[in-house]
Amino acid sequence: SVGSIKLDLTEVTLDEDKRVVVENGMGEIKIRVPETMNVRAECSADIGDASCPDGLSGGSDGTAGPVLTIIARAKVGDVEVTR
């Protein structure tokens, strides 16, 4: 696909582990997660920058509870996962 992808997950709560895969051919990917969500992100950009939390990021309340695994890939464009 071509164009920007913006995914706002700040209102999401997890009852169990979940996985999200976001892929883009050309254009940026920006994903926002809640401050307290446990996140494991795997980000890559063939041409561009990838900025994601390293390993398991527990947010402001530690790492207990369900984990959201995010796999975000862009061929051309930046990839970013933020709180």
mmCIF file of all heavy atoms in Angstrom, residues 3 8-9 11-12 17-18 24-25 27 29 32 38 47-48 51-53 57-58 60 62 69 71-72 74-76 80:
data_model
loop_
_atom_site.group_PDB
_atom_site.id
_atom_site.type_symbol
_atom_site.label_atom_id
_atom_site.label_comp_id
_atom_site.label_asym_id
_atom_site.label_seq_id
_atom_site.Cartn_x
_atom_site.Cartn_y
_atom_site.Cartn_z
ATOM 1 N N GLY A 3 0.904 5.417 1.311
ATOM 2 C CA GLY A 3 0.283 6.418 2.165
ATOM 3 C C GLY A 3 0.605 6.176 3.616
ATOM 4 O O GLY A 3 1.197 5.158 3.976
ATOM 5 N N ASP A 8 -4.247 4.480 16.389
ATOM 6 C CA ASP A 8 -4.331 4.960 17.768
ATOM 7 C C ASP A 8 -5.000 3.889 18.621
ATOM 8 O O ASP A 8 -6.196 3.640 18.498
ATOM 9 C CB ASP A 8 -5.121 6.258 17.822
ATOM 10 C CG ASP A 8 -5.162 6.871 19.209
ATOM 11 O OD1 ASP A 8 -4.751 6.209 20.190
ATOM 12 O OD2 ASP A 8 -5.601 8.027 19.319
ATOM 13 N N LEU A 9 -4.205 3.243 19.472
ATOM 14 C CA LEU A 9 -4.714 2.183 20.338
ATOM 15 C C LEU A 9 -4.851 2.645 21.790
ATOM 16 O O LEU A 9 -4.988 1.815 22.685
ATOM 17 C CB LEU A 9 -3.776 0.966 20.266
ATOM 18 C CG LEU A 9 -3.573 0.364 18.881
ATOM 19 C CD1 LEU A 9 -2.509 -0.717 18.913
ATOM 20 C CD2 LEU A 9 -4.880 -0.180 18.343
ATOM 21 N N GLU A 11 -7.122 3.802 23.587
ATOM 22 C CA GLU A 11 -8.348 3.474 24.314
ATOM 23 C C GLU A 11 -8.554 1.965 24.452
ATOM 24 O O GLU A 11 -9.559 1.517 25.002
ATOM 25 C CB GLU A 11 -9.559 4.093 23.613
ATOM 26 C CG GLU A 11 -9.516 5.612 23.527
ATOM 27 C CD GLU A 11 -9.532 6.272 24.889
ATOM 28 O OE1 GLU A 11 -10.266 5.809 25.780
ATOM 29 O OE2 GLU A 11 -8.804 7.260 25.071
ATOM 30 N N VAL A 12 -7.608 1.175 23.971
ATOM 31 C CA VAL A 12 -7.735 -0.282 23.991
ATOM 32 C C VAL A 12 -7.295 -0.843 25.341
ATOM 33 O O VAL A 12 -6.312 -0.395 25.924
ATOM 34 C CB VAL A 12 -6.878 -0.904 22.861
ATOM 35 C CG1 VAL A 12 -6.830 -2.410 22.974
ATOM 36 C CG2 VAL A 12 -7.404 -0.483 21.502
ATOM 37 N N ASP A 17 -3.287 -11.777 25.798
ATOM 38 C CA ASP A 17 -2.270 -11.365 24.841
ATOM 39 C C ASP A 17 -2.882 -11.236 23.448
ATOM 40 O O ASP A 17 -3.719 -12.052 23.048
ATOM 41 C CB ASP A 17 -1.132 -12.390 24.789
ATOM 42 C CG ASP A 17 -0.311 -12.427 26.072
ATOM 43 O OD1 ASP A 17 -0.512 -11.565 26.944
ATOM 44 O OD2 ASP A 17 0.546 -13.317 26.184
ATOM 45 N N LYS A 18 -2.458 -10.219 22.720
ATOM 46 C CA LYS A 18 -2.938 -9.980 21.350
ATOM 47 C C LYS A 18 -1.758 -9.617 20.468
ATOM 48 O O LYS A 18 -0.701 -9.200 20.943
ATOM 49 C CB LYS A 18 -3.962 -8.828 21.306
ATOM 50 C CG LYS A 18 -5.247 -9.107 22.014
ATOM 51 C CD LYS A 18 -6.057 -10.142 21.278
ATOM 52 C CE LYS A 18 -7.396 -10.367 21.973
ATOM 53 N NZ LYS A 18 -8.203 -11.339 21.308
ATOM 54 N N ASN A 24 3.336 -1.625 5.335
ATOM 55 C CA ASN A 24 3.117 -0.554 4.369
ATOM 56 C C ASN A 24 4.229 -0.596 3.330
ATOM 57 O O ASN A 24 5.395 -0.760 3.686
ATOM 58 C CB ASN A 24 3.087 0.804 5.075
ATOM 59 C CG ASN A 24 2.380 1.866 4.263
ATOM 60 O OD1 ASN A 24 1.848 1.585 3.195
ATOM 61 N ND2 ASN A 24 2.358 3.078 4.764
ATOM 62 N N GLY A 25 3.866 -0.451 2.078
ATOM 63 C CA GLY A 25 4.856 -0.437 1.010
ATOM 64 C C GLY A 25 5.626 0.869 0.976
ATOM 65 O O GLY A 25 6.852 0.897 1.022
ATOM 66 N N GLY A 27 5.372 4.795 2.773
ATOM 67 C CA GLY A 27 4.722 5.739 3.670
ATOM 68 C C GLY A 27 4.993 5.380 5.111
ATOM 69 O O GLY A 27 5.451 4.276 5.418
ATOM 70 N N ILE A 29 4.426 4.668 9.207
ATOM 71 C CA ILE A 29 3.530 3.960 10.111
ATOM 72 C C ILE A 29 3.727 4.563 11.496
ATOM 73 O O ILE A 29 4.854 4.613 11.987
ATOM 74 C CB ILE A 29 3.850 2.447 10.175
ATOM 75 C CG1 ILE A 29 3.663 1.796 8.813
ATOM 76 C CG2 ILE A 29 2.980 1.765 11.228
ATOM 77 C CD1 ILE A 29 4.141 0.347 8.759
ATOM 78 N N ARG A 32 0.191 4.455 18.308
ATOM 79 C CA ARG A 32 0.184 4.936 19.695
ATOM 80 C C ARG A 32 -0.488 3.900 20.568
ATOM 81 O O ARG A 32 -1.533 3.364 20.214
ATOM 82 C CB ARG A 32 -0.575 6.257 19.817
ATOM 83 C CG ARG A 32 0.221 7.433 19.282
ATOM 84 C CD ARG A 32 -0.380 8.768 19.668
ATOM 85 N NE ARG A 32 -0.372 8.905 21.120
ATOM 86 C CZ ARG A 32 -1.291 9.568 21.812
ATOM 87 N NH1 ARG A 32 -2.292 10.149 21.199
ATOM 88 N NH2 ARG A 32 -1.211 9.660 23.109
ATOM 89 N N ASN A 38 1.336 -3.297 28.284
ATOM 90 C CA ASN A 38 2.555 -4.060 28.042
ATOM 91 C C ASN A 38 2.698 -4.275 26.545
ATOM 92 O O ASN A 38 1.783 -4.808 25.910
ATOM 93 C CB ASN A 38 2.491 -5.418 28.738
ATOM 94 C CG ASN A 38 2.403 -5.284 30.232
ATOM 95 O OD1 ASN A 38 3.031 -4.427 30.816
ATOM 96 N ND2 ASN A 38 1.602 -6.129 30.856
ATOM 97 N N ILE A 47 13.903 1.250 3.927
ATOM 98 C CA ILE A 47 14.459 2.585 3.691
ATOM 99 C C ILE A 47 13.686 3.534 4.585
ATOM 100 O O ILE A 47 12.518 3.817 4.341
ATOM 101 C CB ILE A 47 14.327 3.005 2.212
ATOM 102 C CG1 ILE A 47 15.076 2.025 1.317
ATOM 103 C CG2 ILE A 47 14.833 4.431 2.022
ATOM 104 C CD1 ILE A 47 14.877 2.261 -0.162
ATOM 105 N N GLY A 48 14.317 4.004 5.658
ATOM 106 C CA GLY A 48 13.669 4.868 6.638
ATOM 107 C C GLY A 48 14.106 4.484 8.040
ATOM 108 O O GLY A 48 14.947 3.595 8.225
ATOM 109 N N SER A 51 11.551 3.348 15.044
ATOM 110 C CA SER A 51 11.682 3.763 16.442
ATOM 111 C C SER A 51 10.585 3.087 17.260
ATOM 112 O O SER A 51 9.414 3.472 17.178
ATOM 113 C CB SER A 51 11.563 5.282 16.542
ATOM 114 O OG SER A 51 11.565 5.685 17.878
ATOM 115 N N CYS A 52 10.995 2.068 18.032
ATOM 116 C CA CYS A 52 10.048 1.295 18.815
ATOM 117 C C CYS A 52 10.668 0.941 20.156
ATOM 118 O O CYS A 52 11.891 0.902 20.276
ATOM 119 C CB CYS A 52 9.676 0.013 18.092
ATOM 120 S SG CYS A 52 8.829 0.299 16.534
ATOM 121 N N PRO A 53 9.849 0.628 21.173
ATOM 122 C CA PRO A 53 10.399 0.193 22.456
ATOM 123 C C PRO A 53 11.214 -1.087 22.273
ATOM 124 O O PRO A 53 10.886 -1.937 21.453
ATOM 125 C CB PRO A 53 9.161 -0.083 23.313
ATOM 126 C CG PRO A 53 8.029 0.580 22.628
ATOM 127 C CD PRO A 53 8.392 0.671 21.185
ATOM 128 N N SER A 57 8.150 -3.721 26.942
ATOM 129 C CA SER A 57 7.985 -2.405 27.557
ATOM 130 C C SER A 57 6.697 -2.434 28.369
ATOM 131 O O SER A 57 5.604 -2.607 27.818
ATOM 132 C CB SER A 57 7.904 -1.319 26.489
ATOM 133 O OG SER A 57 7.595 -0.071 27.060
ATOM 134 N N GLY A 58 6.829 -2.276 29.696
ATOM 135 C CA GLY A 58 5.678 -2.407 30.575
ATOM 136 C C GLY A 58 4.913 -1.134 30.824
ATOM 137 O O GLY A 58 3.887 -1.146 31.480
ATOM 138 N N SER A 60 3.811 2.499 32.412
ATOM 139 C CA SER A 60 3.907 3.173 33.707
ATOM 140 C C SER A 60 3.547 2.293 34.899
ATOM 141 O O SER A 60 3.780 2.677 36.037
ATOM 142 C CB SER A 60 3.027 4.423 33.702
ATOM 143 O OG SER A 60 1.673 4.068 33.502
ATOM 144 N N GLY A 62 4.428 -1.230 35.214
ATOM 145 C CA GLY A 62 5.176 -2.483 35.266
ATOM 146 C C GLY A 62 4.794 -3.431 34.147
ATOM 147 O O GLY A 62 4.110 -3.045 33.207
ATOM 148 N N THR A 69 1.658 -7.589 21.180
ATOM 149 C CA THR A 69 2.809 -7.694 20.292
ATOM 150 C C THR A 69 2.479 -6.952 19.009
ATOM 151 O O THR A 69 1.445 -7.211 18.381
ATOM 152 C CB THR A 69 3.140 -9.170 19.986
ATOM 153 O OG1 THR A 69 3.457 -9.822 21.211
ATOM 154 C CG2 THR A 69 4.321 -9.281 19.034
ATOM 155 N N ILE A 71 3.903 -5.921 15.256
ATOM 156 C CA ILE A 71 4.869 -6.122 14.180
ATOM 157 C C ILE A 71 4.543 -5.081 13.126
ATOM 158 O O ILE A 71 3.445 -5.091 12.544
ATOM 159 C CB ILE A 71 4.788 -7.549 13.611
ATOM 160 C CG1 ILE A 71 5.107 -8.544 14.725
ATOM 161 C CG2 ILE A 71 5.728 -7.703 12.422
ATOM 162 C CD1 ILE A 71 4.888 -9.973 14.375
ATOM 163 N N ALA A 72 5.471 -4.150 12.923
ATOM 164 C CA ALA A 72 5.250 -3.052 11.984
ATOM 165 C C ALA A 72 6.407 -3.002 10.991
ATOM 166 O O ALA A 72 7.570 -2.929 11.397
ATOM 167 C CB ALA A 72 5.130 -1.727 12.733
ATOM 168 N N ALA A 74 7.751 -1.333 7.123
ATOM 169 C CA ALA A 74 7.592 -0.450 5.977
ATOM 170 C C ALA A 74 8.739 -0.702 5.010
ATOM 171 O O ALA A 74 9.887 -0.855 5.438
ATOM 172 C CB ALA A 74 7.591 1.011 6.405
ATOM 173 N N LYS A 75 8.427 -0.756 3.733
ATOM 174 C CA LYS A 75 9.504 -0.879 2.745
ATOM 175 C C LYS A 75 10.204 0.472 2.597
ATOM 176 O O LYS A 75 11.419 0.548 2.646
ATOM 177 C CB LYS A 75 8.956 -1.365 1.412
ATOM 178 C CG LYS A 75 8.499 -2.816 1.469
ATOM 179 C CD LYS A 75 8.156 -3.325 0.101
ATOM 180 C CE LYS A 75 7.567 -4.709 0.188
ATOM 181 N NZ LYS A 75 8.512 -5.768 0.118
ATOM 182 N N VAL A 76 9.415 1.536 2.407
ATOM 183 C CA VAL A 76 9.959 2.892 2.302
ATOM 184 C C VAL A 76 9.141 3.789 3.217
ATOM 185 O O VAL A 76 7.951 3.978 2.996
ATOM 186 C CB VAL A 76 9.891 3.429 0.849
ATOM 187 C CG1 VAL A 76 10.428 4.847 0.785
ATOM 188 C CG2 VAL A 76 10.643 2.519 -0.101
ATOM 189 N N GLU A 80 7.099 4.029 13.721
ATOM 190 C CA GLU A 80 7.205 4.544 15.076
ATOM 191 C C GLU A 80 6.087 3.982 15.949
ATOM 192 O O GLU A 80 4.929 3.997 15.561
ATOM 193 C CB GLU A 80 7.134 6.066 15.046
ATOM 194 C CG GLU A 80 7.222 6.733 16.376
ATOM 195 C CD GLU A 80 7.131 8.248 16.260
ATOM 196 O OE1 GLU A 80 6.199 8.746 15.603
ATOM 197 O OE2 GLU A 80 8.000 8.902 16.834
#
